[in-house]
Amino acid sequence: MSQPVEAFRNALKIPELKSRIIFTLIMLAVYRLGAHVPTPGVDGGALSKAMGSGGLLSFYDMFSGGAFSNATVFALGIMPYISASIIIQLLTAVWAPLERLAKEGAEGQKKITEYTRYGTVGLCVVQSIFVAAYLVKLNSPGLTIVPNPSLFFYVLCIVSFTTGTAFIMWLGEQISEHGVGNGISLIIFVSIVSRMPTAVYSLYLQLKNDDLTMFEGLMLIAVMVLVVAGVILVTTGQRRIPVQYPRQVKGRRVTSGGRNYLPLRVNQAGVIPIIFASSILMLPSMVASAVKSPAVEAFFSTWFTYDGLLYNLIYAGLIIFFCFFYTAITFNPVEIAENLKKYGGVVMGVRPGKATAEYLNRVMTRITLVGAFFLAGVALLPKFVNSGLNVQDFTVSQFFGGTSLLILVGVALDTVRQVEQHLIMRNYDGFMKSGRKTPGRR
């Protein structure tokens, strides 16, 4: 039997892990049910016709699992929470009070999480106003999306959308605490997967109507396979730094030294840069969609379209920036160098202390640059798929050749890794309780 199947069976045999998996599935099912609860005062069917399939708002709709195009209570999705997290993390790096909170451990993290929640609610209120204005603006003589665009409608949108995002945020936190995997990432994962049947059916229609040749369809599938393989390779890729530990004498006991390795991940930030960059670029576009200004509309329609050069350059730049930014937050070479020096570890060919920290920082910068350009290339891939393979439907190129696959594979790998950690910990406890020795221990 293959190893993944055996690992899954082992996971179901452990009561605690089984309950975590079931809890996660129930919470995700609740999220998908909520994505179909309509917002009062909005005709969801008319909105779907008005939006069509393509552009930045459809890209936003992908992250909300179709909730935005149907104007449900989950229309804003989890993006306000992600935007608030970005703002708080940026402030933590430059504002001393937040930096002190971040260094206070669990209590400081609780306070930062509380600030993030308040920021999420504030962003929801602002975004709800712009979304309501956008919906009213879409009204036309032949298509009525908002029958009664009054002040009460704006208040209703603010309450509905803000409550929906707050509930999604709560679901994500519950999954992270009581389930398996990162709750926010899994919610985005499920949102993207929910669009898969639409993408597959659209691809089938294009092949059936000869809008896409069989060769182009096979090339599209080949691109998908290459993207998945590349994401797995970069996500699991490591630069192993050899570390030598000296022989230690403790009383009459002599511990022999040995060589170990310090793994530096090529993609330390995971899918976070893609999500951060996407959430930031959605804000100005939503504002421009709601503002009734010919100059603003002309600028965005000319220079800031989803397949425009300026948009894609900014998008790639933000991805690269957040790769380095998030890596700088999660990877501290000075602290690692101090810990190595404390326990007598020496990087081969490098002096301990400051020289080790500079060496680790230099190596991490180089491999992060490779990972950052890879993420940017994958994120821009749908544009080349549209033009190079003559794919007419935006949903198809988006799902089969870019950000969607990157997020899906990244979140799946992270979740599987966490399940494996639970299995390893459970096996360790089982050996200790039974009095047997854990394999590999002396």
Side-chain angles (χ1 to χ4, degrees), residues 93-418:
V94 298
W95 195 29
L98 282 178
E99 186 178 0
R100 286 195 298 268
L101 277 178
K103 294 179 179 179
E104 290 180 3
E107 291 300 323
Q109 192 59 44
K110 286 182 180 179
K111 206 68 178 176
I112 291 177
T113 303
E114 185 179 344
Y115 292 153
T116 304
R117 292 170 181 166
Y118 292 146
T120 301
V121 173
L123 286 176
C124 283
V125 172
V126 175
Q127 290 187 23
S128 298
I129 296 174
F130 284 110
V131 170
Y134 170 71
L135 295 175
V136 172
K137 184 182 176 182
L138 288 178
N139 278 343
S140 61
L143 194 64
T144 303
I145 297 171
V146 182
N148 300 308
S150 60
L151 178 62
F152 178 72
F153 169 74
Y154 281 85
V155 175
L156 198 60
C157 283
I158 292 173
V159 173
S160 300
F161 295 153
T162 303
T163 305
T165 298
F167 184 69
I168 297 175
M169 179 175 61
W170 178 82
L171 286 177
E173 292 176 352
Q174 295 303 306
I175 293 173
S176 299
E177 184 175 356
H178 304 291
V180 177
N182 183 284
I184 303 302
S185 299
L186 284 175
I187 285 175
I188 297 176
F189 179 91
V190 171
S191 299
I192 297 175
V193 168
S194 67
R195 310 298 290 171
M196 182 172 63
T198 303
V200 173
Y201 182 68
S202 179
L203 178 61
Y204 166 74
L205 289 180
Q206 291 189 52
L207 291 172
K208 182 180 178 181
N209 299 329
D210 293 332
D211 295 331
L212 194 67
T213 64
M214 185 59 67
F215 174 76
E216 291 170 340
L218 292 176
M219 287 296 296
L220 182 61
I221 296 175
V223 168
M224 180 187 70
V225 173
L226 289 176
V227 170
V228 172
V231 170
I232 294 175
L233 181 65
V234 173
T235 303
T236 59
Q238 296 177 350
R239 168 72 185 275
R240 303 176 71 187
I241 306 297
V243 179
Q244 182 71 36
Y245 287 94
R247 186 174 60 179
Q248 297 180 357
V249 180
K250 297 181 179 179
R252 295 183 178 181
R253 184 179 179 183
V254 179
T255 304
S256 61
R259 177 177 295 186
N260 207 336
Y261 293 93
L262 179 66
L264 303 183
R265 294 176 58 188
V266 176
N267 185 19
Q268 180 75 16
V271 299
I272 298 297
I274 297 283
I275 299 174
F276 279 9
S278 303
S279 61
I280 284 182
L281 285 178
M282 288 172 188
L283 293 177
S285 299
M286 291 183 65
V287 173
S289 301
V291 174
K292 297 180 179 180
S293 172
V296 174
E297 290 182 357
F299 172 79
F300 274 84
S301 61
T302 305
W303 298 102
F304 212 72
T305 56
Y306 180 77
D307 56 350
L309 178 62
L310 178 62
Y311 172 86
N312 285 282
L313 287 177
I314 296 176
Y315 189 31
L318 285 175
I319 292 173
I320 295 173
F321 166 75
F322 280 118
C323 277
F324 284 96
F325 173 75
Y326 194 80
T327 301
I329 292 177
T330 57
F331 180 81
N332 190 344
V334 176
E335 183 179 351
I336 294 176
E338 291 177 355
N339 290 334
L340 289 176
K341 186 177 180 180
K342 179 180 178 181
Y343 293 102
V346 178
V347 176
M348 304 297 294
V350 183
R351 290 183 298 175
K354 183 179 179 181
T356 299
E358 293 176 350
Y359 173 76
L360 293 177
N361 183 61
R362 184 167 61 252
V363 173
M364 197 65 190
T365 300
R366 291 177 178 176
I367 63 177
T368 300
L369 183 64
V370 176
F373 275 98
F374 174 80
L375 291 182
V378 171
L380 298 180
L381 190 58
K383 177 184 176 181
F384 299 103
V385 170
N386 275 339
S387 57
L389 297 180
N390 194 29
V391 177
Q392 303 297 326
D393 194 342
F394 168 80
T395 307
V396 174
S397 61
Q398 185 186 74
F399 187 86
F400 285 95
T403 305
S404 301
L405 285 178
L406 180 66
I407 295 176
L408 291 179
V409 176
V411 174
L413 289 175
D414 181 65
T415 305
V416 170
R417 191 180 299 116
Q418 291 196 31

Side-chain angles (χ1 to χ4, degrees), residues 418-435:
Q418 291 196 31
V419 172
E420 289 180 349
Q421 289 176 359
H422 280 285
L423 287 172
I424 293 173
M425 291 173 61
R426 181 66 183 182
N427 288 336
Y428 178 81
D429 292 340
F431 282 123
M432 293 297 292
K433 290 178 181 178
S434 62

